[in-house]
């Protein structure tokens, strides 16, 4: 018996490590452009204008917008495991396309293809982890993917710095930075060959015996495997009886209000300006006064801060109220951006300015990744009722990626046209709007059942909007 328990634990650990390489690739491919972009923009390379830089960085995000929708559909049809396996191939091909790109057009197409893989991974990997993990380990296994995303970004920053130092003077330095992403894609490709399909997906396709075989490998006892199989079958039967929803359901006031709040959460958490730092942090530090090589090295501190902050945030979620975390996070990020604006104005050309800007970007990411990042998806999953979860989450995810795309596209243009001070001042103003939105409209969900949260929306009293009524108590 003890041998079977140890075997199931080891197998689950292997599943978690290998499948979250999809999250690692997600993080690396969104973070590597931070260091590679200044080099590829040079006249003797791809000769990019600020608009072209924005297009290169944001084309991945546009691809991810479509990839998240397409990836979910394909994983429902072909299976979670098979979809992740196919995504590893797309990651590899698109990475080669980016690293070998002879011009701006090929780079744009390759980054868009990479975005399709990133978007597909963003929905498929968490779904796969949730469906193979035991209920008591589900939270830890699913949040491991979020940790791997920021770890991937941190690795990208570190590798960018190492390559910049090792190959200083090499005009094609950015190609090596991008090419490194092929390695985890290869690991994911061969690793997924060893992993099982999601038992829940197998049951949904009528492949009951295969699902039981998988559950016997990943559960501690055969009795638990059989019991979970029965639960999956009962749940799927119940889901089939739920009426299919459509956009017409948004005509119902309380459902429309939930979706609008969800859209607001998805949008405002990205309008903090977090991706201006994650995608263009090296350029921000370079413009503040660091040399390019020093900026690449300093930027690794931003990546390390993100990893530590996510770990802290995951532990805080069980202890602190959701709204409190969100309001604290937005207050911290807005304050950090305001201080960047002020210090860039008052200390222009000062030798201390680069170090002050670095400390403030670290402060920003500490609040962002510990208080806002972990809460975003948890809050959305709690406020959107089961009956409209597919439609509601789909709309919110769409707005999440579109906002990411807009920020990624416009930031280098704004930075070039307005400078560091005015660009971040825009985000400061948005930060105050975000705080107002959360204060007035976002409900508290900690300690409430999903049914209590839904009833709160159904019986919401508009006259209590200033105090957020019973939802905030």
């Amino acid at each position: 018996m003890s041998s079977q328990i140890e075997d199931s634990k080891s197998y689950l650990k292997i599943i978690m490590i290998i499948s979250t390489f999809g999250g690692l690739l997600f993080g690396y491919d969104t973070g590597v452009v931070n260091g590679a972009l200044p080099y590829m923009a040079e006249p003797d390379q791809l000769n990019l204008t600020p608009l072209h830089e924005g297009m290169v960085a944001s084309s991945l995000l546009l691809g991810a917008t479509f990839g998240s929708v397409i990836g979910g559909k394909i994983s429902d049809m072909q299976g979670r495991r098979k979809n992740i396996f196919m995504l590893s191939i797309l990651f590899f091909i698109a990475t080669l396309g980016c690293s070998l790109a002879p011009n701006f057009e090929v780079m744009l197409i390759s980054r868009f293809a990479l975005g399709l893989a990133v978007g597909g991974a963003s929905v498929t990997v968490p779904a796969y982890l949730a469906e193979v993990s035991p209920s008591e380990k589900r939270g830890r296994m699913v949040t491991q993917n979020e940790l791997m995303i920021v770890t991937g970004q941190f690795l990208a920053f570190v590798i960018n710095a190492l390559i910049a130092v090792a190959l200083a003077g090499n005009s094609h330095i950015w190609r090596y930075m991008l090419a490194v992403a092929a390695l985890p894609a290869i690991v994911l490709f061969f690793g997924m060959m060893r992993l099982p399909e999601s038992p829940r997906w197998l049951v949904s396709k009528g492949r009951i015996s295969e699902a039981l075989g998988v559950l016997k490998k990943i559960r501690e006892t055969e009795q638990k495997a059989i019991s979970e199989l029965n639960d999956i079958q009962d749940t799927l039967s119940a889901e089939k009886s739920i009426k299919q929803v459509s956009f017409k359901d948004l005509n119902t006031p309380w459902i429309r209000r939930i979706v609008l709040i969800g859209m607001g959460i998805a949008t405002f958490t990205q309008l903090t300006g977090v991706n201006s730092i994650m995608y263009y942090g090296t350029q921000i530090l370079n413009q503040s006064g660091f040399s390019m090589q020093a900026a690449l090295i300093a930027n690794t501190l931003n990546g390390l801060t993100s990893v530590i902050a996510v770990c802290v945030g995951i532990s805080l979620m069980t202890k602190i109220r959701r709204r409190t975390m969100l309001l604290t996070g937005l207050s911290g990020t807005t304050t950090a951006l305001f201080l960047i604006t002020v210090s860039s104005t008052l200390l222009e050309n000062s030798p201390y300015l680069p170090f002050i800007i670095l400390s403030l970007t670290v402060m920003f990411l500490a609040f962002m990744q510990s208080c806002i990042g972990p809460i975003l998806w948890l809050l959305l999953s709690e406020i959107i009722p089961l009956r409209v979860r597919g439609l509601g989450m789909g709309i919110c995810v769409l707005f999440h990626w579109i906002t990411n795309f807009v920020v990624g596209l416009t930031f280098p243009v704004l930075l070039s046209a307005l400078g560091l001070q005015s660009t971040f001042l825009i985000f400061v103003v948005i930060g105050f709007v975000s705080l107002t939105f959360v204060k007035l409209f976002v409900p508290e969900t900690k300690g409430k059942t999903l049914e209590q949260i839904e009833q709160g929306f159904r019986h919401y009293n508009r006259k209590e909007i200033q105090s957020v009524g019973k939802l905030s108590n």
Side-chain angles (χ1 to χ4, degrees):
M1 179 69 72
S2 60
S3 176
Q4 184 178 343
I5 292 173
E6 289 303 315
D7 287 347
S8 67
K9 287 182 178 179
S10 298
Y11 197 30
L12 277 172
K13 188 174 290 185
I14 291 171
I15 290 172
M16 182 176 69
I17 292 171
I18 292 176
S19 62
T20 54
F21 263 77
L24 186 77
L25 281 161
F26 181 163
Y28 189 92
D29 287 321
T30 53
V32 68
V33 73
N34 197 316
L37 200 55
Y39 291 100
M40 74 171 74
E42 292 294 323
D44 64 335
Q45 294 301 303
L46 301 188
N47 192 28
L48 305 179
T49 65
L51 178 59
H52 286 160
E53 290 182 31
M55 292 173 71
V56 167
S58 63
S59 56
L60 182 145
L61 304 171
L62 184 62
T65 305
F66 293 98
S68 60
V69 176
I70 298 169
K73 297 289 185 183
I74 293 176
S75 70
D76 285 343
M77 292 187 295
Q78 302 294 328
R80 319 303 189 211
R81 173 190 168 277
K82 188 173 182 180
N83 191 36
I84 297 172
F85 181 79
M86 292 165 59
L87 288 171
S88 70
I89 298 173
L90 182 55
F91 269 119
F92 183 78
I93 294 172
T95 295
L96 290 184
C98 289
S99 58
L100 299 174
N103 53 46
F104 165 69
E105 290 77 16
V106 173
M107 174 61 74
L108 203 63
I109 294 169
S110 299
R111 287 281 293 177
F112 180 82
L114 200 56
L116 292 175
V118 166
S122 72
V123 296
T124 309
V125 173
Y128 178 69
L129 287 171
E131 292 174 6
V132 299
S133 58
S135 57
E136 67 274 11
K137 295 181 180 179
R138 186 169 299 133
R140 180 174 175 270
M141 287 187 69
V142 174
T143 52
Q144 183 72 21
N145 189 58
E146 182 72 22
L147 183 59
M148 285 291 271
I149 291 172
V150 293
T151 300
Q153 290 174 328
F154 174 52
L155 284 176
F157 298 163
V158 171
I159 290 170
N160 283 347
L162 290 174
I163 291 176
V165 173
L167 300 177
N170 189 319
S171 59
H172 294 288
I173 195 169
W174 59 274
R175 297 187 187 275
Y176 298 102
M177 294 174 175
L178 298 177
V180 171
L183 298 177
I186 293 171
V187 173
L188 185 62
F189 175 82
F190 286 106
M192 289 309 296
M193 291 181 177
R194 296 185 56 192
L195 302 192
E197 182 52 84
S198 155
R200 194 179 192 280
W201 183 83
L202 290 170
V203 172
S204 72
K205 300 302 178 183
R207 295 157 63 174
I208 309 300
S209 60
E210 289 180 59
L212 181 58
V214 172
L215 286 168
K216 286 180 178 179
K217 290 181 179 179
I218 59 177
R219 296 296 178 262
E220 296 178 354
T221 65
E222 184 174 334
Q223 189 174 13
K224 283 188 176 181
I226 294 171
S227 175
E228 186 164 334
L229 178 67
N230 292 332
D231 289 342
I232 292 172
Q233 289 176 301
D234 292 341
T235 301
L236 287 173
S237 297
E239 286 180 359
K240 288 178 182 178
S241 66
I242 297 175
K243 178 187 173 185
Q244 292 294 310
V245 298
S246 66
F247 283 98
K248 290 182 180 178
D249 288 85
L250 298 180
N251 291 328
T252 305
W254 71 274
I255 291 179
R256 183 170 61 247
R257 184 170 179 272
I258 288 174
V259 174
L260 287 173
I261 290 175
M263 287 163 54
I265 294 171
T267 301
F268 282 121
T269 52
Q270 298 311 298
L271 286 176
T272 53
V274 58
N275 290 318
S276 65
I277 294 174
M278 298 311 291
Y279 302 156
Y280 304 105
T282 300
Q283 287 166 283
I284 291 170
L285 294 174
N286 179 233
Q287 189 162 325
S288 70
F290 280 115
S291 68
M292 183 55 68
Q293 195 174 92
L296 282 164
I297 295 171
N299 193 53
T300 61
L301 189 58
N302 285 331
L304 180 60
T305 300
S306 292
V307 174
I308 296 172
V310 166
C311 295
V312 172
I314 290 171
S315 66
L316 289 177
M317 282 194 299
T318 59
K319 303 170 185 174
I320 301 177
R321 289 152 61 98
R322 317 287 193 238
R323 265 169 49 93
T324 301
M325 282 187 71
L326 203 52
L327 288 168
T328 301
L330 287 170
S331 298
T333 55
T334 304
T335 300
L337 294 177
F338 176 72
L339 291 175
I340 288 175
T341 303
V342 172
S343 58
S344 299
T345 304
L346 299 180
L347 299 174
E348 191 173 6
N349 299 321
S350 167
Y352 301 108
L353 180 60
F355 300 97
I356 292 172
I357 296 297
L358 175 60
S359 64
L360 290 173
T361 58
V362 166
M363 172 185 167
F364 174 95
L365 289 171
F367 279 101
M368 178 70 204
Q369 304 290 26
S370 65
C371 297
I372 300 175
I375 287 296
L376 168 61
W377 301 111
L378 175 62
L379 202 53
L380 289 178
S381 66
E382 288 178 332
I383 68 171
I384 300 177
L386 176 63
R387 191 168 71 86
V388 292
R389 188 158 296 158
L391 176 65
M393 285 295 286
I395 293 172
C396 293
V397 168
L398 178 64
F399 272 78
H400 167 84
W401 283 115
I402 288 176
T403 307
N404 255 333
F405 169 72
V406 171
V407 172
L409 178 64
T410 59
F411 184 79
V413 178
L414 292 173
L415 194 62
S416 175
L418 304 177
L420 204 61
Q421 304 96 315
S422 299
T423 300
F424 277 108
L425 184 60
I426 293 172
F427 287 116
V428 171
V429 173
I430 294 173
F432 282 112
V433 175
S434 302
L435 280 164
T436 304
F437 171 81
V438 173
K439 187 71 176 175
L440 293 179
F441 300 110
V442 176
E444 180 55 64
T445 58
K446 187 176 186 297
K448 297 183 179 182
T449 66
L450 298 181
E451 289 71 26
Q452 288 174 328
I453 295 169
E454 181 175 330
Q455 286 303 312
F457 277 108
R458 284 178 180 270
H459 301 107
Y460 180 76
N461 186 343
R462 290 181 180 276
K463 292 182 179 179
E464 296 178 16
I465 195 168
Q466 292 297 329
S467 61
V468 201
K470 296 180 180 179
L471 295 173
S472 301
N473 297 327

